[in-house]
């Protein structure tokens, strides 16, 4: 079989697309309210997924109607940093073209849902006019680069954010397709003058167009994050490359580099697995981009292109082992020896919520946004509150890796104004949330994600109600531990290193994972499979009771489960009883 015959179907689509272009322009104007299969794959690289409303799918099928198609449009925001004006532009888009809600992602981006196909060009144009971009927010390229969002006025924080921005810019696709399709007037050929330029040289041929990615781009998505060892809020161990900033005497001297993390898995395919990243080396700050390019091009050349299920970098690292990976990288891609990592590992994690002094006499406020969903409803008008904050106080905004947001540069007198706006709109302050709810996350799942097999965001809040009551009963309400839920095993809300992971397995049933921890440096283990939604909290309750009785001094819930292990927990807690 030739190499081309062995390629996965998506590889052929990318190869024949002429750098992420055809057939999107034709499909855009075909009069249908959906895109064809090739465009659906290519659009991801432009930041958009085609979805359909699964709540009405069966009913529409009965009525012999087509699916109700819409587009999700994701904005890539390095380090989650944006202005109030940019946030307002996204709010306007969700109200005017989308389904009236906006979502903060687990990678510090924003998602618009419910955009009709006819409005996708306008949506992407307006995002770019606001100085943001959707290019590379999804697809087989480097995705949004995460960075610690806390806006402390320290050189270290500014350097980390600058690194994230530099990596995002350097590894964005360079083909002119994005600009030609979305930012060029189809009638006049006039190009939009937008905040973020995507000015690729269209005279280039061959892989000069994409000198890093080539014609087929990467075999799969690629993720990077930047954080200090004492604040692993970006989950460095879940990234393809985690850049762990090493700080000595207040100066950022370089990065310990972690490679090969990844949380997607297919339970029916034994060859797939989740992995935390492995410590590879140390590099000074000026070598971050060259090393990233070496690793990304290694993955371009050696990642599996015949089977997307095993195409992430983690499979190359696992197949080769860290030593062979490092040697190949040094000899064939980086061109020089790599330094051993510094003897430093993650020691802390901060969600950056509540009021913090930012280092220049002003304050920032971390507002917990439950599951990242921004909307107005009868109970609270979060969207209206954010509109008022952005139009009156105009703070810089930082989206957090925990689906929440930070308002920066608040003067002392602005603190009460900000709180009053939130209160006026019925929005709970971070301090009003229980600890367990504040540290929970859920992916969007149903009704729009095409891969979801269970609910996630829509059921976690009520599950939290029950869990809160149980924790109060046990006197554990102040314990910090992470509960992360996803509607399928793809793991978008990073459920595989959390204290409690709830992963959608089949209709209305979850796999419960236990034994990760807030630090995010180890995988949890499968505790029970196919637990019905209604039994999740009652399954966890005896384990929590066991923890309350048998924990060691200061031991977290995840550490306790990790120490006891699956067999002991099942022996003591299965059947709802804590025995012995
Ligand atoms: Fe969709 Fe699965 Fe990701 Fe949730 S984890 S958003 S269900 S792909």
């Amino acid at each position: 079989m030739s190499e081309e015959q062995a390629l996965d179907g998506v590889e052929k689509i990318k190869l024949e697309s002429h750098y992420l272009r055809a057939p999107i322009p034709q499909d855009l104007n075909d009069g249908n309210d959906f895109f064809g299969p090739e465009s659906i794959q290519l659009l991801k690289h432009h930041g958009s997924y085609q979805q359909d409303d699964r709540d009405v799918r069966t009913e529409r099928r009965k009525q012999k109607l087509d699916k109700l198609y819409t587009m999700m449009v994701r904005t890539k925001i390095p380090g989650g940093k944006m202005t109030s004006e940019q946030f307002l532009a996204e709010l306007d888009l969700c109200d005017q073209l989308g389904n009236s809600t906006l979502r903060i992602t687990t990678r510090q981006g924003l998602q618009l849902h419910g955009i009709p196909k006819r409005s996708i060009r306008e949506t992407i144009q307006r995002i770019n006019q606001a100085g943001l971009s959707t290019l590379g927010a999804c697809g087989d390229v480097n995705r949004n680069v995460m960075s610690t969002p806390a806006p402390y006025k320290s050189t270290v924080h500014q350097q980390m954010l600058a690194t994230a921005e530099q990596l995002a810019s350097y590894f964005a696709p360079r083909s002119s397709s994005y600009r030609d399709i979305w930012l060029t007037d189809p009638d006049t050929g006039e190009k939009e003058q937008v905040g973020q330029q995507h000015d690729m040289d269209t005279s280039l041929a061959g892989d000069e167009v994409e000198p890093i990615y080539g014609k087929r781009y990467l075999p799969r998505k690629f993720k990077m994050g930047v954080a200090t060892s004492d604040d692993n809020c970006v989950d460095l161990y879940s990234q393809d490359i985690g850049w762990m900033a090493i700080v000595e005497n207040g100066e950022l001297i370089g990065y310990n580099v972690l490679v090969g993390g990844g949380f997607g898995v297919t339970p029916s395919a034994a060859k797939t697995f989740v992995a935390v990243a492995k410590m590879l080396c140390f590099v000074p700050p000026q070598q971050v981009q060259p090393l990233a390019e070496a690793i990304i091009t290694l993955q371009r050349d050696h990642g599996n292109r015949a089977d997307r299920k095993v195409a992430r970098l983690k499979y190359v690292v696992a197949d080769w082992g860290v030593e062979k990976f490092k040697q190949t990288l040094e000899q064939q891609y980086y061109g020089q020896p790599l330094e051993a990592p510094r003897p430093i590992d993650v020691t802390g994690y901060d969600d950056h919520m509540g009021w913090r002094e930012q280092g220049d006499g002003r304050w920032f406020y971390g507002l917990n946004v439950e599951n990242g969903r921004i909307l107005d409803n009868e109970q609270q008008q979060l969207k209206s509150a954010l509109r008022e904050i952005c139009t009156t106080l105009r703070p810089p905004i930082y989206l957090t890796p925990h689906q929440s947001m930070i308002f920066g540069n608040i003067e002392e007198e602005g603190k009460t104004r900000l709180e009053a706006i939130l209160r006026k709109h019925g929005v709970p302050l971070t301090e009003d949330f229980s600890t367990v709810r504040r540290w929970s996350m859920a992916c969007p799942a149903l009704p729009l994600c095409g891969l979801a097999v269970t609910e996630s965001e829509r059921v976690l809040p009520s599950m939290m109600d029950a869990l809160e009551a149980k924790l109060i009963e046990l006197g554990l309400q102040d314990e910090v531990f992470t509960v992360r839920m996803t509607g399928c095993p793809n793991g978008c809300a990073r459920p595989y290193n959390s204290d409690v992971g709830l992963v959608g397995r089949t209709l209305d049933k979850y796999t419960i994972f236990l034994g990760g921890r807030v630090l995010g440096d180890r995988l949890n283990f499968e505790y029970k499979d196919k637990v019905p939604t209604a039994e999740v909290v009652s399954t966890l309750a005896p384990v929590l009771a066991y923890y309350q009785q048998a924990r060691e001094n200061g031991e977290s819930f995840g550490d306790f489960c990790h120490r006891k292990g699956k067999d002991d927990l099942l022996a003591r807690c299965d059947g709802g009883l804590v025995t012995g």
Side-chain angles (χ1 to χ4, degrees):
M1 197 189 302
S2 72
E3 196 213 358
E4 200 149 312
Q5 283 171 320
L7 287 179
D8 178 276
V10 178
E11 289 296 309
K12 290 183 186 156
I13 291 170
K14 288 184 286 183
L15 187 61
E16 289 163 10
S17 71
H18 194 62
Y19 300 99
L20 310 176
R21 189 180 308 264
I24 298 173
Q26 295 89 317
D27 281 12
L28 256 178
N29 299 311
D30 65 4
N32 294 324
D33 57 4
F34 54 86
F35 286 92
E38 292 87 5
S39 290
I40 287 172
Q41 294 302 331
L42 299 171
L43 278 164
K44 295 175 186 174
H45 303 76
H46 297 251
S48 183
Y49 273 71
Q50 181 165 296
Q51 304 185 319
D52 74 282
D53 188 340
R54 296 175 60 188
D55 282 347
V56 299
R57 198 190 267 181
T58 310
E59 191 51 41
R60 288 179 72 88
R61 196 182 299 138
K62 272 192 221 152
Q63 294 178 27
K64 302 204 179 338
L65 293 170
D66 284 337
K67 292 174 179 172
L68 198 56
Y69 291 107
T70 55
M71 307 303 296
M72 180 277 278
V73 177
R74 185 182 294 161
T75 303
K76 194 169 84 170
I77 307 169
K81 184 187 174 199
M82 60 195 308
T83 64
S84 276
E85 289 71 21
Q86 289 171 332
F87 196 81
L88 284 167
E90 293 269 356
L91 286 179
D92 286 345
L93 281 168
C94 87
D95 280 341
Q96 294 163 12
L97 303 178
N99 66 359
S100 300
T101 77
L102 189 59
R103 195 165 206 289
I104 305 172
T105 75
T106 53
R107 292 191 64 79
Q108 299 177 285
L110 283 174
Q111 279 184 194
L112 293 157
H113 290 268
I115 305 283
K117 181 188 171 195
R118 65 176 177 281
S119 302
I120 185 174
R121 190 200 298 273
E122 182 183 347
T123 304
I124 293 177
Q125 271 178 1
R126 285 171 58 177
I127 288 170
N128 279 269
Q129 284 161 357
L132 297 167
S133 178
T134 67
L135 177 63
C138 327
D140 297 340
V141 290
N142 177 49
R143 303 281 188 91
N144 196 31
V145 183
M146 298 171 72
S147 179
T148 309
Y152 289 113
K153 300 295 174 193
S154 81
T155 314
V156 169
H157 279 83
Q158 283 160 15
Q159 282 176 313
M160 287 195 297
L161 181 59
T163 298
E165 289 173 337
Q166 183 195 12
L167 289 170
S169 168
Y170 188 73
F171 293 107
R174 299 182 191 180
S175 154
S176 63
S177 324
Y178 186 80
R179 184 154 189 151
D180 294 345
I181 296 170
W182 311 112
L183 306 175
T184 302
D185 187 311
D187 300 322
T188 65
E190 196 176 320
K191 294 193 187 302
E192 282 273 348
Q193 293 306 309
V194 292
Q196 282 188 14
Q197 300 293 316
H198 302 286
D199 273 328
M200 304 84 177
D201 185 346
T202 49
S203 67
L204 294 175
D207 285 350
E208 288 170 79
V209 176
E210 293 284 9
I212 298 168
Y213 293 129
K215 289 184 174 69
R216 295 185 309 196
Y217 294 81
L218 295 179
R220 281 289 265 126
K221 59 187 162 189
F222 198 91
K223 300 178 176 180
M224 293 194 270
V226 186
T228 50
S229 57
D230 61 353
D231 178 12
N232 183 26
C233 65
V234 308
D235 260 335
L236 289 166
Y237 278 88
S238 72
Q239 312 280 346
D240 288 276
I241 308 180
W243 303 99
M244 183 189 293
I246 306 294
V247 181
E248 277 181 14
N249 302 320
E251 268 185 43
L252 198 165
I253 59 158
Y255 294 87
N256 272 356
V257 184
L258 296 131
V259 290
F263 282 0
V265 67
T266 309
S268 58
K271 60 192 170 187
T272 67
F273 51 81
V274 295
V276 285
K278 312 282 183 298
M279 195 73 86
L280 181 75
C281 62
F282 169 86
V283 284
Q286 66 274 18
Q287 286 304 110
V288 165
Q289 186 177 300
L291 181 61
E293 184 163 351
I295 295 170
I296 287 173
T297 47
L298 181 153
Q299 160 67 356
R300 176 198 67 196
D301 296 347
H302 295 280
N304 191 321
R305 290 191 186 262
D307 184 353
R308 287 179 67 78
K309 283 194 173 71
V310 288
R312 291 282 299 273
L313 180 70
K314 65 183 174 182
Y315 295 104
V316 178
V317 175
D319 284 353
W320 289 0
V322 174
E323 259 325 295
K324 178 179 169 188
F325 183 89
K326 189 169 169 225
Q327 272 175 19
T328 311
L329 189 65
E330 288 172 333
Q331 291 165 13
Q332 296 176 30
Y333 292 90
Y334 188 57
Q336 54 183 303
L338 289 161
E339 254 185 74
R342 299 292 159 93
I344 292 173
D345 209 336
V346 293
T347 55
Y349 186 116
D350 191 346
D351 67 353
H352 311 290
M353 293 292 97
W355 286 111
R356 315 281 179 98
E357 208 275 327
Q358 64 181 28
D360 61 357
R362 293 182 291 178
W363 297 81
F364 69 80
Y365 184 70
L367 176 70
N368 188 66
V369 179
E370 191 166 10
N371 301 324
R373 180 62 76 189
I374 294 168
L375 47 66
D376 283 355
N377 59 27
E378 279 180 14
Q379 291 79 41
Q380 55 168 293
Q381 295 77 51
L382 176 59
K383 195 171 53 169
S384 300
L386 296 179
R387 264 193 192 287
E388 190 171 337
I389 289 168
C390 289
T391 45
T392 57
L393 298 173
R394 299 193 171 273
I397 285 170
Y398 304 82
L399 308 175
T400 82
H402 234 244
Q403 303 173 301
S404 289
M405 59 196 301
I406 291 170
F407 309 106
N409 292 355
I410 307 288
E411 304 284 353
E412 185 65 41
E413 56 275 16
K415 290 169 74 178
T416 41
R417 270 181 80 194
L418 186 133
E419 288 191 6
I421 294 170
L422 293 169
R423 291 264 186 236
K424 183 176 79 179
H425 293 280
V427 177
L429 302 186
T430 291
E431 298 72 12
D432 301 327
F433 282 87
S434 67
T435 306
V436 70
R437 199 178 294 261
R438 169 170 158 177
W439 287 87
S440 68
M441 287 206 284
C443 75
L446 294 171
L448 290 173
C449 176
L451 298 173
V453 290
T454 61
E455 295 283 351
S456 180
E457 179 203 313
R458 295 196 294 194
V459 301
L460 191 61
S462 56
M463 226 176 249
M464 282 291 132
D465 293 342
L467 198 53
E468 280 169 349
K470 181 50 69 181
L471 289 167
I472 290 170
E473 189 186 310
L474 294 167
L476 296 174
Q477 66 272 22
D478 296 327
E479 293 300 320
V480 172
F481 63 93
T482 44
V483 180
R484 296 177 178 173
M485 175 180 263
T486 58
C488 86
N490 268 319
C492 294
R494 303 190 292 277
Y496 299 114
N497 61 351
S498 56
D499 298 69
V500 179
L502 305 171
V503 175
R505 181 70 157 87
T506 177
L507 187 65
D508 199 30
K509 291 193 172 69
Y510 295 83
T511 310
I512 299 182
F513 293 85
L514 296 174
R517 58 177 171 177
V518 175
L519 280 184
D521 57 346
R522 69 169 179 241
L523 294 176
N524 44 27
F525 57 83
E526 182 181 316
Y527 174 61
K528 283 189 112 176
D529 197 18
K530 297 186 182 165
V531 178
T533 310
E535 294 173 22
V536 167
V537 175
S538 58
T539 304
L540 289 172
V543 189
L544 288 161
Y546 185 28
Y547 166 62
Q548 190 252 12
Q549 290 168 18
R551 65 180 156 169
E552 290 177 349
N553 200 16
E555 193 174 32
S556 72
F557 182 55
D559 284 346
F560 172 80
C561 293
H562 179 72
R563 177 167 65 82
K564 291 292 184 184
K566 176 176 179 172
D567 291 346
D568 180 73
L569 294 183
L570 280 173
R572 300 295 190 102
C573 308
D574 202 12
L577 293 172
V578 184
T579 56

